[in-house]
Amino acid sequence: MSSVTTGKYEGFTAEERAAMKDHAREQKNAARRGSRADKAAEAARDVLAKIAEMQDSDRVLAERVHAVVTSSAPALAPKLWYGMPAYALDGKIVCYFQSAEKFKARYATLGFSDQANLDQDTMWPTTFALTQLTPAVEAQISTLTKQAVR
């Protein structure tokens, strides 16, 4: 939310409001009638379309993340979540890609929800900054994604 500089609540940022509108649109689309297979195919197309709309640096990262996640954990279904490419298991978001542009951040991120099976001891990371996808980073994403759905 907006930072508090004057000591009073200033409301949601334009980016946050846009994300909420995206989510409402996604929920409305999901409620439409149709077969489960048709909805899944449409959701996958929506994710690819959202990735194609991204700026070059974010788009390249998102394309690779999409490829790694879908090949590493085929049980995860692509779908949009607050206007971001996300991957769900049984309808619940497990991980998502947030472009740097989405909230005017310095870097893109790969995040995992509390549905991801990443628990280690009493503290573990759930969000990772991405600036470049090297083979080692792709291998790490693959490992995390496989672990997340166990």
Side-chain angles (χ1 to χ4, degrees):
M1 286 192 270
S2 298
S3 62
V4 178
T5 55
T6 62
K8 65 177 185 172
Y9 176 71
E10 295 180 18
F12 294 104
T13 66
E15 293 81 13
E16 290 166 333
R17 284 191 302 278
M20 288 185 282
K21 286 179 183 177
D22 286 340
H23 186 62
R25 191 171 26 258
E26 293 155 13
Q27 295 293 52
K28 188 182 281 187
N29 288 343
R32 286 188 194 148
R33 293 183 186 205
S35 73
R36 189 175 291 215
D38 288 344
K39 287 181 181 182
E42 184 178 350
R45 282 191 304 272
D46 290 346
V47 166
L48 293 174
K50 183 59 77 172
I51 290 171
E53 292 173 5
M54 293 179 187
Q55 292 181 348
D56 290 344
S57 58
D58 285 339
R59 188 182 71 251
V60 169
L61 290 172
E63 287 170 346
R64 289 304 309 141
V65 165
H66 179 78
V68 172
V69 169
T70 56
S71 67
S72 299
L76 292 178
K79 66 185 281 182
L80 290 178
W81 183 61
Y82 290 94
M84 298 178 285
Y87 305 88
L89 183 64
D90 299 327
K92 296 182 179 179
I93 300 300
V94 173
C95 62
Y96 60 92
F97 176 84
Q98 181 178 302
S99 69
E101 179 186 21
K102 180 83 176 164
F103 293 107
K104 296 183 172 61
R106 194 176 80 183
Y107 44 75
T109 56
L110 174 65
F112 291 87
S113 76
D114 61 346
Q115 298 298 313
N117 208 4
L118 299 178
D119 304 28
Q120 290 181 341
D121 200 19
T122 58
M123 186 172 119
W124 56 90
T126 60
T127 306
F128 300 85
L130 297 173
T131 58
Q132 184 179 12
L133 283 185
T134 64
V137 171
E138 288 185 11
Q140 185 178 5
I141 292 170
S142 177
T143 299
L144 287 168
T145 305
K146 288 175 186 174
Q147 181 181 346
V149 295
R150 285 188 207 171

